[in-house]
Amino acid sequence: MIVPINKPIGWTSFDVVKQVRKITGEKKVGHGGTLDPFAQGVLVVGIGRNSTRRLNYFSNSNKTYEAKLKLGSETDTLDLTGKIIQEMDVPTLKKDKIKSIFSKFTGYQEQIPPMFSAKKIRGVRLYKLARQKKLVEREPIQVFIKLLELIDYNSNSINFLVSCSKGTYVRQLGSDIAKKLGTVGHLAELYRIQAGPYSIEDCISFSTIEKRWMSLKV
């Protein structure tokens, strides 16, 4: 069984997997695309051996997010959970300027993975090295930004919508946008509203998962 779940803020993706294992009693449970603990939204979960084998499709699919970029301060994690490592004044923001910068980030891009990420360098997760205060050189990866749209903005933050390929770090995208604007920034919010064919409206509760799973066992 494949189900979309609205991952709560503060939960890891594996926390969701553990909860589904608990309510179904099924050992073979996995997810199709990690969401950071500070983020919320669509997490596709596979329950049972046949379903977990299909999760690569969802891992490789495009994802769509709504994000809030807080300008003027940069954190070590590039999101609100980290420590502030740099602060800068925020220039006066204009809609035309923001849209012009957004247009430069659409299409194929090379993106350097952030240090606080699960990407492995010589077999070690980058976030483990980051916690040890070790900065290592990372090779850029190619990502595809299908859509990048401005939702709204004020004097020190920008809300935007982005649809992107597997492997895109929206935290890094936010940081790069801030630098193009002449300042620094970090993500204050991240909300995945689409993962492959599933939207946030398709997400179901844990209790519904339990009922559906039990009905399959009858």
Side-chain angles (χ1 to χ4, degrees), residues 1-217:
M1 186 167 70
I2 298 287
V3 293
I5 295 173
N6 185 356
K7 186 194 82 66
I9 293 174
W11 288 43
T12 67
S13 299
F14 188 63
D15 286 338
V16 175
V17 168
K18 286 193 295 184
Q19 182 66 12
V20 173
R21 283 177 179 165
K22 180 179 178 180
I23 65 176
T24 63
E26 173 61 47
K27 293 182 179 180
K28 285 289 183 179
V29 179
H31 65 78
T34 301
L35 262 179
D36 289 333
F38 88 98
Q40 63 178 318
V42 184
L43 185 71
V44 180
V45 173
I47 310 170
R49 185 178 300 276
N50 290 337
S51 295
T52 53
R53 287 173 177 170
R54 295 163 52 201
L55 287 174
N56 275 344
Y57 166 77
F58 299 99
S59 296
N60 293 328
S61 65
N62 283 0
K63 313 291 192 305
T64 302
Y65 302 86
E66 291 180 1
K68 181 176 183 178
L69 174 61
K70 176 72 173 177
L71 299 170
S73 58
E74 181 181 32
T75 67
D76 53 3
T77 60
L78 303 183
D79 62 50
L80 79 169
T81 67
K83 297 178 181 178
I84 294 176
I85 57 174
Q86 187 178 7
E87 292 182 300
M88 288 181 67
D89 291 337
V90 181
T92 301
L93 301 177
K94 295 183 178 180
K95 183 183 289 187
D96 289 346
K97 174 70 171 179
I98 297 170
K99 287 186 172 182
S100 175
I101 287 172
F102 277 13
S103 69
K104 297 175 182 177
F105 283 99
T106 55
Y108 286 101
Q109 305 281 320
E110 284 200 336
Q111 187 183 72
I112 297 177
M115 278 301 301
F116 277 90
S117 67
K119 187 174 179 62
K120 288 184 177 181
I121 298 291
R122 293 183 291 277
V124 181
R125 302 279 185 190
L126 279 174
Y127 67 79
K128 292 185 177 180
L129 297 172
R131 288 170 182 165
Q132 297 169 18
K133 309 297 183 184
K134 295 179 180 178
L135 181 65
V136 298
E137 187 173 346
R138 289 96 69 203
E139 292 293 327
I141 58 174
Q142 189 179 71
V143 299
F144 183 73
I145 308 295
K146 182 179 179 181
L147 178 74
L148 183 57
E149 288 188 350
L150 176 66
I151 298 174
D152 57 36
Y153 70 100
N154 57 35
S155 61
N156 62 3
S157 67
I158 295 173
N159 294 327
F160 63 90
L161 177 76
V162 58
S163 179
C164 52
S165 66
K166 170 192 176 182
T168 304
Y169 292 96
V170 184
R171 287 177 291 129
Q172 187 64 55
L173 175 63
S175 175
D176 293 342
I177 289 171
K179 288 174 181 175
K180 287 289 186 182
L181 286 167
T183 184
V184 292
H186 66 272
L187 287 195
E189 297 175 10
L190 185 61
Y191 187 26
R192 184 191 282 168
I193 60 173
Q194 186 90 27
Y198 293 113
S199 71
I200 194 68
E201 290 79 15
D202 298 319
C203 290
I204 62 176
S205 66
F206 290 119
S207 60
T208 301
I209 291 171
E210 183 175 17
K211 290 174 183 176
R212 288 187 184 180
W213 183 252
M214 295 309 295
S215 69
L216 292 175
K217 295 296 184 181

